[in-house]
Amino acid sequence: MQKFKILWADDEIYLLKPHIMFLEEKGFQITTVNSGLDAIEKVEEDNFDVIFLDEMMPGMTGLETLQQIKQLKPQVPVIMITKSEEEHIMDDAIGGQIADYLIKPINPSQILLSVKKILQNKQLISEKTNSSYQQDFINISMAYNDADDYQSWTEIFKKLTYWELEIDKTENKSMQEVLETQKSEANTNFAKFIKRNYLDWINDSQSNRPLLSPDVMKEKVFPKIKPGKPLFFVVIDNLRLDQWEILEPLVSEFFNVEEESTYFSILPTTTAYARNALFSGMMPSEMARFHPQLWEGEDTDEGKNNHEEAFLEEQLKKNRLNIKFSYHKILQAYQGKNVLDQFNNLLNFDLNVLVYNFVDMMSHARTDMKMIRELAPNESAYRSITKSWFTHSSLFGLFKKIGEAGLEVVVTTDHGTIRVNKPYKIIGDRNITTNLRYKQGKNLNFESGKVFEIKRPEDAKLPKFNVSTSYVFAVEDYFFAYPNNYNHYVNFYKDTFQHGGVSLEEIIVPIIHLKPKKY
């Protein structure tokens, strides 16, 4: 066990002998001094794991000593100990970046708790997290083996996401491999569940089915529109549940979470299908049939999301909502800045829809650019980059402005993404889609098994481009690869983030209702 070194500065240090002996019996090495000047000298001479600093010392006060210690060793944690309960002293100490603040008289257990909280916090958290996950492991395994409805799968995915984030906080991450194996097993069972139920959900709105992409605006956005109170609907493309969970603490500075729920993205889990369904309130085959001038099929070279605003307008008309709305798609930093600069103009609209594409672009950049792949080698780093972007983004600035204006926000995404690792051979003609997680075309040739095949597109309300068109979706963490130049293709795309197929991460996505803290 590591022997931690503590420096204790107090002009009445002789009165603290029982406390010092108590800590020494617990294995700590204590160095004592009687003044702030002596404390500074010791800090210059030696390294300490934590410093106890009495505030009321003659000569140099504790706060003055703190300031100089922070200049010498800014990373060393300092616990301020004082007889005074005056608020300005607490404020100055906190402003001086103390680690803890104790008020005399103090007892040995109180000191030990403070030291453990600072020095052994990560170790204790790791031990508790690993122990708790081990206890929950069997419960989760039983749950996904027995799950037969979408509610159960939603709860399983939320629980797996919770443990992924908790284990990510631990030091040794000894349970991470176990969790990854459990997530993989859960995805195997989830794929079977989707195969059994997806077509029934699509064709029977009365069945016990989840909220799907076309339902989102009608069920979660339109009912929240109120006269004189602009509503903001923010769609962050390609945002997974775990990514939202790390952004929520930042957003909570301005908002309370009124409702945190999920919905199921339709297949294919791509922008062209899922996000168009979100804005149109229709399935892809319905869009192609009723709005052929807006729908861009797989056989065109046009962008597949150039008509989201028009689809949204049609959905508002369909739901008899005669309101003023704005639509903004943010692809570049300057576009986000323009939104912030024109924020007051947005207050003239009943509904403001904003689409932010950074997370989707980041996942594609990680595939194409070696530097981005090195910056985000794993799920934890991928989340970290997402958080860093958000902290410095115009979107964070927008949330702040909305919160200060006392207005509500609905935040969601169109689909998630999964890190793929296993190649799956497929053969098709030259018109086959290029997406790695789903293929649409005729005469598709592949080994049956780890895929979800839809032979009749009309059964899934997907467009049918010719008489022999079919769709096939990769499941779990597989990705499709062509036999030609197979090894190069596999090496390039393995361990990249992709979407379009069937996995918990791609299909079950967050939708959040935020109410401002400021009214």
Side-chain angles (χ1 to χ4, degrees):
M1 177 181 173
Q2 180 181 355
K3 194 158 189 173
F4 293 107
K5 294 167 65 176
I6 297 173
L7 173 65
W8 198 330
D10 194 305
D11 62 311
E12 297 178 328
I13 198 72
Y14 59 92
L15 296 175
L16 300 170
K17 187 64 176 174
H19 299 70
I20 293 168
M21 290 176 63
F22 175 78
L23 290 174
E24 287 176 338
E25 288 173 1
K26 293 292 182 181
F28 297 97
Q29 182 180 326
I30 314 295
T31 300
T32 61
V33 293
N34 297 95
S35 69
L37 283 172
D38 290 340
I40 291 167
E41 286 183 12
K42 288 292 183 184
V43 170
E44 288 175 331
E45 296 170 1
D46 201 353
N47 293 313
F48 295 95
D49 296 296
V50 67
I51 298 172
F52 290 147
L53 203 56
D54 182 35
E55 205 287 312
M56 304 293 286
M57 290 185 292
M60 182 178 284
T61 68
L63 287 171
E64 291 168 339
T65 307
L66 172 67
Q67 186 176 5
Q68 294 206 31
I69 287 174
K70 284 296 180 181
Q71 290 175 6
L72 291 168
K73 302 280 180 70
Q75 302 305 321
V76 66
V78 177
I79 299 173
M80 186 69 75
I81 301 174
T82 179
K83 294 176 182 177
S84 175
E85 296 187 35
E86 292 185 38
E87 188 176 352
H88 75 90
I89 294 178
M90 294 184 192
D91 291 344
D92 287 344
I94 293 169
Q97 301 180 59
I98 60 164
D100 206 350
Y101 191 94
L102 303 178
I103 297 174
K104 292 181 178 180
I106 52 177
N107 62 60
S109 296
Q110 185 181 8
I111 296 170
L112 182 63
L113 177 62
S114 183
V115 172
K116 277 183 171 287
K117 185 169 63 176
I118 294 167
L119 299 181
Q120 295 176 272
N121 182 52
K122 290 183 178 179
Q123 176 192 338
L124 295 172
I125 287 175
S126 295
E127 291 172 357
K128 179 62 178 175
T129 298
N130 290 339
S131 172
S132 298
Y133 171 61
Q134 288 170 359
Q135 292 174 20
D136 209 16
F137 176 88
I138 295 176
N139 296 331
I140 296 172
S141 297
M142 291 175 62
Y144 64 64
N145 282 316
D146 297 337
D148 60 358
D149 56 48
Y150 76 89
Q151 296 98 330
S152 298
W153 276 109
T154 300
E155 290 307 310
I156 290 165
F157 184 45
K158 285 181 177 178
K159 188 166 282 192
L160 287 169
T161 300
Y162 168 79
W163 284 120
E164 184 172 16
L165 296 178
E166 289 300 300
I167 290 171
D168 197 24
K169 298 173 189 174
T170 63
E171 282 189 305
N172 57 23
K173 296 178 174 52
S174 60
M175 297 304 295
Q176 185 169 319
E177 189 174 340
V178 176
L179 176 66
E180 288 174 358
T181 300
Q182 187 166 53
K183 277 185 68 178
S184 177
E185 291 173 356
N187 260 321
T188 300
N189 285 271
F190 181 68
K192 295 174 183 176
F193 170 74
I194 291 295
K195 289 179 186 180
R196 290 195 303 268
N197 293 281
Y198 184 76
L199 297 181
D200 290 339
W201 294 344
I202 297 302
N203 291 287
D204 184 4
S205 61
Q206 305 304 313
S207 66
N208 180 28
R209 71 172 179 85
L211 192 75
L212 298 172
S213 305
D215 311 320
V216 169
M217 294 202 74
K218 182 178 179 181
E219 298 295 329
K220 296 292 186 178
V221 180
F222 295 160
K224 296 176 178 62
I225 298 174
K226 302 167 187 171
K229 293 285 286 185
L231 177 70
F232 287 79
F233 181 46
V234 176
V235 179
I236 307 174
D237 188 15
N238 214 2
L239 188 77
R240 303 190 313 195
L241 181 61
D242 62 327
Q243 291 171 304
W244 163 253
E245 293 293 346
I246 63 163
L247 300 186
E248 184 181 328
L250 300 171
V251 174
S252 64
E253 181 179 347
F254 315 110
F255 296 93
N256 292 315
V257 176
E258 181 72 8
E259 181 186 13
E260 184 171 292
S261 57
T262 58
Y263 78 90
F264 279 46
S265 171
I266 63 162
L267 296 173
T269 47
T270 63
T271 306
Y273 289 85
R275 197 159 82 202
N276 276 328
L278 188 74
F279 286 120
S280 68
M282 293 184 286
M283 290 295 293
S285 63
E286 297 167 335
M287 287 183 265
R289 176 184 174 190
F290 295 112
H291 301 288
Q293 77 283 9
L294 301 179
W295 174 258
E296 299 291 347
E298 299 283 1
D299 55 343
T300 71
D301 294 326
E302 298 298 319
K304 305 297 189 288
N305 288 84
N306 292 335
H307 306 294
E308 292 168 357
E309 185 174 2
F311 273 130
L312 173 58
E313 187 173 9
E314 291 297 326
Q315 185 175 186
L316 288 169
K317 289 178 183 176
K318 181 180 177 181
N319 286 274
R320 299 177 182 175
L321 288 169
N322 185 24
I323 61 169
K324 288 179 65 179
F325 78 94
S326 74
Y327 170 86
H328 302 268
K329 184 183 290 186
I330 291 85
L331 301 172
Q332 304 288 339
Y334 77 89
Q335 295 170 318
K337 185 178 183 301
N338 289 343
V339 168
L340 287 182
D341 292 342
Q342 300 169 20
F343 179 77
N344 288 337
N345 293 338
L346 300 181
L347 303 182
N348 297 317
F349 296 93
D350 301 295
L351 175 65
N352 294 289
V353 177
L354 302 106
V355 178
Y356 285 79
N357 265 61
F358 174 82
V359 178
D360 183 60
M361 290 189 291
M362 180 177 68
S363 68
H364 291 297
R366 187 184 178 278
T367 300
D368 299 328
M369 298 173 63
K370 183 179 179 182
M371 182 183 72
I372 302 297
R373 196 179 292 202
E374 290 177 352
L375 285 172
N378 52 40
E379 304 280 359
S380 177
Y382 189 61
R383 286 190 291 269
S384 181
I385 289 182
T386 306
K387 184 177 181 179
S388 179
W389 159 73
F390 181 75
T391 303
H392 303 284
S393 71
S394 61
L395 177 55
F396 188 48
L398 177 68
F399 275 114
K400 183 177 180 180
K401 281 183 176 287
I402 297 171
E404 290 173 345
L407 300 173
E408 297 181 22
V409 187
V410 177
V411 186
T412 194
T413 185
D414 45 5
H415 55 76
T417 185
I418 186 170
R419 187 156 56 127
V420 297
N421 282 296
K422 304 188 192 98
Y424 204 85
K425 286 185 180 180
I426 192 166
I427 301 172
D429 61 32
R430 64 178 184 174
N431 294 319
I432 190 174
T433 51
T434 58
N435 187 286
L436 271 69
R437 290 283 289 169
Y438 88 94
K439 298 295 180 184
Q440 176 272 125
K442 58 183 180 179
N443 304 320
L444 298 177
N445 195 328
F446 53 90
E447 184 181 348
S448 61
K450 295 288 186 180
V451 293
F452 176 27
E453 183 183 10
I454 297 179
K455 295 181 179 179
R456 289 167 38 91
E458 58 268 32
D459 291 343
K461 295 188 178 178
L462 292 169
K464 187 173 183 176
F465 301 102
N466 58 62
V467 72
S468 59
T469 292
S470 64
Y471 288 75
V472 58
F473 301 93
V475 300
E476 303 168 32
D477 60 347
Y478 286 89
F479 66 98
F480 291 121
Y482 302 113
N484 297 339
N485 208 8
Y486 180 79
N487 290 332
H488 170 77
Y489 194 86
V490 168
N491 289 333
F492 185 78
Y493 286 107
K494 187 178 181 180
D495 192 34
T496 63
F497 288 94
Q498 303 293 335
H499 57 85
V502 178
S503 69
L504 290 160
E505 293 91 334
E506 291 164 288
I507 288 181
I508 304 180
V509 291
I511 180 163
I512 317 297
H513 178 204
L514 302 171
K515 281 197 171 182
K517 289 185 174 179
K518 176 182 178 181
Y519 284 92

